[in-house]
Amino acid sequence: GQTHIVQGKQLVDDDFTPLRINGVGNAGAPAIPVIPPFTDDWAITEIRVFPNDVTVYLMWAHMHTRGQEMTYLVTYPDGREEVILSVPNFDFNWQQFYELEEPIKIPAGSTLKTIGSYDNSVANKWNPAPQKEVYWSEQSWDEMFNGFIDFTVDKRVLQSSKSATDGGAQ
């Protein structure tokens, strides 16, 4: 996403958490703020604006053990909204790619909101440490929020890299 909203507040540069130092903090910069201990419904939204017409083929909701749900919501230029993927009961053990039966055409000027939430409470049976702040990193005891999406930009014409004059050598 190009814009991040955490707990209803749009993040600006100063809101991002710094790099991990001596094993504490986030592995990359800038990073999303930490999830506080014992929080049962911590919300995040990523927003991407499509400046060109695109075609969507596949989505992958990726979170770790505290992930609760993830939804992909398209808002079209005319204001119409459409949920193109809903994973209401996210399960870390089910890291699924959702390939669309029919690709979805999304016109320029549309936005894609990837909306998710986390449960860092004792009620989450998969939570390894509800008493700790949760940082953003690759390890499963940390967290991620990746609303992956595979799409093509419709105005780009893909051509073969083989040439008739060079026999395909590059």
Side-chain angles (χ1 to χ4, degrees):
Q2 297 159 325
T3 302
H4 291 84
I5 299 170
V6 173
Q7 295 295 86
K9 179 184 174 209
Q10 182 173 335
L11 300 183
V12 293
D13 290 344
D14 292 343
D15 294 325
F16 286 93
T17 306
L19 285 169
R20 183 179 296 252
I21 299 169
N22 297 326
V24 177
N26 292 296
I32 305 299
V34 298
I35 300 172
F38 304 111
T39 302
D40 66 353
D41 192 19
W42 193 87
I44 183 169
T45 300
E46 290 179 339
I47 302 171
R48 168 181 291 278
V49 177
F50 291 107
N52 299 295
D53 294 346
V54 300
T55 302
V56 175
Y57 301 93
L58 178 140
M59 289 161 281
W60 176 30
H62 182 75
M63 305 160 96
H64 290 168
T65 59
R66 294 168 183 88
Q68 284 185 295
E69 60 87 22
M70 192 180 287
T71 301
Y72 291 70
L73 175 71
V74 175
T75 304
Y76 295 96
D78 64 5
R80 182 175 52 92
E81 293 185 330
E82 178 183 11
V83 172
I84 60 172
L85 178 65
S86 175
V87 183
N89 297 303
F90 183 84
D91 186 326
F92 177 67
N93 299 301
W94 292 15
Q95 296 288 332
Q96 301 282 338
F97 289 94
Y98 297 91
E99 186 173 355
L100 299 171
E101 189 171 313
E102 292 292 326
I104 297 172
K105 297 284 190 178
I106 298 178
S110 298
T111 60
L112 173 66
K113 293 179 186 167
T114 307
I115 305 160
S117 66
Y118 294 85
D119 182 355
N120 190 29
S121 75
V122 295
N124 177 355
K125 68 180 179 180
W126 303 111
N127 190 349
Q131 74 283 5
K132 292 186 178 181
E133 290 183 321
V134 181
Y135 291 91
W136 302 89
S137 187
E138 296 83 15
Q139 303 302 320
S140 59
W141 56 80
D142 293 320
E143 267 305 338
M144 285 190 169
F145 183 71
N146 293 324
F148 294 111
I149 180 170
D150 284 2
F151 66 92
T152 56
V153 177
D154 294 350
K155 72 179 183 178
R156 294 190 181 162
V157 176
L158 302 178
Q159 298 177 349
S160 172
S161 61
K162 293 183 181 180
S163 165
T165 60
D166 66 9
Q170 298 260 331

